[in-house]
Amino acid sequence: MSAAKRVQQWATFARTWHVFDCKWQDPYQSANLIKKYLLGLHKPIYHPMNDCGDVVVCVNSRDIALRGDEWRKRAYFHHTGYPGGASWTLAWEVHNKDPTMIIKKAVYRAMKGNLQRRHTMQRLFIYPGEEIPDDVKQNVTNQIRQLRLVPTRLDHIPEEEVQKFPKVMDYPSDYVLK
Amino acid sequence: MSLLSTKAFSFLKNAVTSPYIRALSVTSKLNIKELREYKEGNKLIIEGVSLPSPRSELLVRAEKIPDLVPTKDSENSLCYLCKLDLDVKHTDVLILSQFVRSDGCMLPRRITGLCRMQQKKVGRMVTMAQKAGLLINLTPSFCKKDPKKRYGYKKFNTYYDEKTIFWKRIPNQNDRFKR
Ligand SMILES: [Zn+2]
């Protein structure tokens, strides 16, 4: 085997480390994206028996965004196994308790349920803030594109840019500015 | 009866003691943009000044854009925002902030001059932007000015889908489990 072919072989079967910024991302939509990288579905050599999944590092999981009223409407179910041991926790309460749990459960649910799923989940790292441990950071070579644009707050836009922006609405002549 | 008598008494008292209150300006009541208030000696002078609008030069209108193809509908029935045919999202804070007062309250339709549909749409999108914490500097003075300091579920990021604005009924996700 030539040197070039050997390197190609390494590059094909090496695990790539991807980073995904969860800021203002819907966890249930981005779980379908993360799942593809975790299972290796984006690779042409994919086969269920082929262990070709990649590693995904999720950062800023504290800043995920849920749609509409889902923070107070989505409930997470848990049962202790004892009679009367059922409990329902709302999404915002879960997120208060552990800011990484919602994205973890979303990715877990997005994958097909077999025993391999537990091992695939070991390749998912979730961090609530921006900080990544150095031994994780030095492996990262790729960034997954975000699904939703991060919105800009009006007070973060400079004042003159707001003034210069083209206007759609004009006040009537008898309007008193407030 | 007693109420009537007190009302009549207060009316008479007001008529006798307090000075007659009339409209601020002698000329046309319209064309006021700014109310100026200053003291001269021991006189308080309140003055209504007509000023040119700061938005006139930057105004975008469909008639001024040569490339824009007018839609088939009769042009008179459309309002200026319908003619522009913009796809406004609730994250477009630079556009939405033109339709609100300094306390973040949506302006009424007689001032915005929008049609019924657009007024409702823009109003809902302003609400969405406020709830998402994007217009946090356009809020009442007692606001804490930081979305992270809100109470309970409100402190977390929320995004909205503009399709839900004109839905008759937004389906409850819990209804999936009903039989
Ligand atoms: Zn219209």
Side-chain angles (χ1 to χ4, degrees):
Chain A
M1 192 184 267
S2 69
K5 276 282 174 195
R6 195 157 66 233
V7 171
Q8 192 188 17
Q9 191 82 353
W10 289 339
T12 308
F13 288 101
R15 285 195 204 284
T16 317
W17 288 55
H18 308 269
V19 69
F20 182 71
D21 191 356
C22 300
K23 190 170 259 184
W24 283 96
Q25 302 302 305
D26 189 300
Y28 311 105
Q29 289 169 8
S30 43
N32 286 318
L33 182 71
I34 293 169
K35 177 187 85 172
K36 286 180 190 166
Y37 288 90
L38 278 181
L39 294 169
L41 285 165
H42 62 299
K43 295 182 180 180
I45 58 161
Y46 172 76
H47 186 268
M49 300 298 285
N50 181 4
D51 185 19
C52 62
D54 285 347
V55 183
V56 178
V57 181
C58 291
V59 295
N60 285 326
S61 77
R62 192 179 279 120
D63 298 325
I64 53 168
L66 259 59
R67 200 186 95 173
D69 53 1
E70 279 196 43
W71 279 118
R72 62 201 153 106
K73 287 288 173 72
R74 191 179 278 265
Y76 283 84
F77 177 75
H78 177 72
H79 202 293
T80 58
Y82 289 99
S87 67
W88 286 266
T89 318
L90 298 178
W92 69 271
E93 292 170 330
V94 172
H95 202 61
N96 251 349
K97 198 92 172 168
D98 183 4
T100 62
M101 193 176 268
I102 285 184
I103 194 125
K104 188 174 162 190
K105 280 183 178 288
V107 176
Y108 189 78
R109 271 199 68 179
M111 285 189 290
K112 212 176 148 216
N114 56 11
L115 282 177
Q116 186 60 36
R117 177 160 67 159
R118 309 287 175 98
H119 303 290
T120 312
M121 284 301 288
Q122 296 295 308
R123 270 184 261 124
L124 176 68
F125 296 89
I126 307 165
Y127 298 101
E130 298 242 323
E131 296 84 42
I132 314 174
D134 273 341
D135 54 338
V136 174
K137 197 192 245 171
Q138 65 189 2
N139 293 321
V140 172
T141 51
N142 186 30
Q143 184 177 9
I144 304 175
R145 189 183 285 271
Q146 287 180 314
L147 287 172
R148 298 179 56 79
L149 279 175
V150 177
T152 320
R153 270 163 58 173
L154 187 64
D155 53 336
H156 290 170
I157 303 170
E159 186 65 35
E160 69 256 32
E161 201 173 312
V162 177
Q163 299 289 338
K164 272 194 289 178
F165 191 77
K167 296 287 183 283
V168 176
M169 202 273 280
D170 196 10
Y171 299 116
S173 56
D174 58 341
Y175 181 69
V176 181
L177 273 177
K178 266 181 212 163
Chain B
M1 195 61 209
S2 65
L3 184 78
L4 196 69
S5 63
T6 48
K7 282 276 178 211
F9 176 72
S10 66
F11 175 74
L12 278 174
K13 192 186 151 199
N14 277 342
V16 171
T17 54
S18 68
Y20 176 56
I21 300 164
R22 53 169 295 166
L24 284 174
S25 56
V26 186
T27 54
S28 163
K29 215 178 133 187
L30 304 179
N31 290 331
I32 295 173
K33 280 278 181 186
E34 197 179 310
L35 286 178
R36 282 182 189 164
E37 208 177 301
Y38 53 90
K39 274 197 171 175
E40 207 172 79
N42 52 3
K43 262 193 293 184
L44 176 70
I45 295 172
I46 299 172
E47 191 183 21
V49 190
S50 182
L51 295 169
S53 168
R55 295 185 176 178
S56 302
E57 304 93 63
L58 295 161
L59 208 61
V60 177
R61 284 284 176 268
E63 295 86 51
K64 291 184 203 160
I65 305 169
D67 298 340
L68 197 72
V69 182
T71 43
K72 287 167 201 161
D73 303 51
S74 59
E75 291 221 337
N76 299 336
S77 64
L78 294 175
C79 70
Y80 58 89
L81 201 59
C82 286
K83 276 182 197 166
L84 279 174
D85 199 21
L86 292 173
D87 182 22
V88 186
K89 304 263 184 243
H90 78 282
T91 47
D92 299 332
V93 283
L94 285 169
I95 294 175
L96 293 179
S97 62
Q98 298 168 20
F99 294 95
V100 297
R101 283 206 291 264
S102 58
D103 64 344
C105 181
M106 178 74 189
L107 290 168
R109 212 176 124 214
R110 65 169 188 276
I111 292 169
T112 56
L114 295 168
C115 64
R116 239 170 244 285
M117 285 290 258
Q118 289 286 352
Q119 174 75 14
K120 183 144 211 160
K121 196 178 174 193
V122 172
R124 292 271 179 89
M125 283 194 292
V126 165
T127 314
M128 288 170 173
Q130 290 279 16
K131 285 186 173 179
L134 304 175
L135 297 176
I136 202 73
N137 54 346
L138 296 176
T139 38
S141 53
F142 52 82
C143 176
K144 274 175 265 181
K145 309 279 177 195
D146 188 7
K148 293 271 162 77
K149 284 181 187 165
R150 289 174 178 173
Y151 180 75
Y153 64 90
K154 291 175 193 164
K155 68 178 166 229
F156 299 124
N157 293 344
T158 312
Y159 77 93
Y160 293 90
D161 189 356
E162 283 82 14
K163 277 184 210 151
T164 59
I165 290 175
F166 289 120
W167 282 5
K168 287 274 183 289
R169 178 182 149 274
I170 293 166
N172 188 357
Q173 287 298 303
N174 297 333
D175 290 351
R176 287 177 302 166
F177 306 113
K178 278 187 186 165
R179 295 196 180 234

